[in-house]
Amino acid sequence: MAATNHVERITTLEEKHAHLERTVADLNSVVIDQQKRIERLETLLHRADERIEHLHAALDQPRSAVEERPPHY
């Protein structure tokens, strides 16, 4: 009787272990996907920051009279 109880307990533990392994694998996939998205967003943010810096630099530079629009435009 005790041997049957041990076998059932081991079987239950093995089932739980299998489920936990699957859960860990699923969560690992989610984390990997999220990391890829974060890296892509960081790249896009860096590009946007560079563009903003270039725009600020362009706005800060004085314009020539040829580039200026007349006041009635």
Side-chain angles (χ1 to χ4, degrees):
M1 188 99 178
T4 304
N5 190 23
H6 290 304
V7 170
E8 288 176 6
R9 288 181 62 204
I10 290 172
T11 302
T12 301
L13 289 173
E14 288 174 339
E15 289 173 355
K16 287 182 179 183
H17 182 261
H19 288 291
L20 287 173
E21 280 185 327
R22 179 63 184 166
T23 301
V24 168
D26 291 343
L27 290 173
N28 189 46
S29 295
V30 169
V31 169
I32 289 170
D33 290 342
Q34 287 180 341
Q35 184 60 37
K36 288 177 184 176
R37 292 174 114 186
I38 289 170
E39 288 171 359
R40 186 176 67 85
L41 290 171
E42 285 176 338
T43 300
L44 291 172
L45 180 61
H46 181 70
R47 287 182 192 162
D49 283 343
E50 286 179 347
R51 290 181 70 191
I52 290 170
E53 287 294 323
H54 285 96
L55 289 172
H56 279 291
L59 289 174
D60 290 341
Q61 292 187 5
R63 293 182 170 194
S64 68
V66 175
E67 293 175 337
E68 284 292 323
R69 287 185 172 180
H72 64 275
Y73 239 41

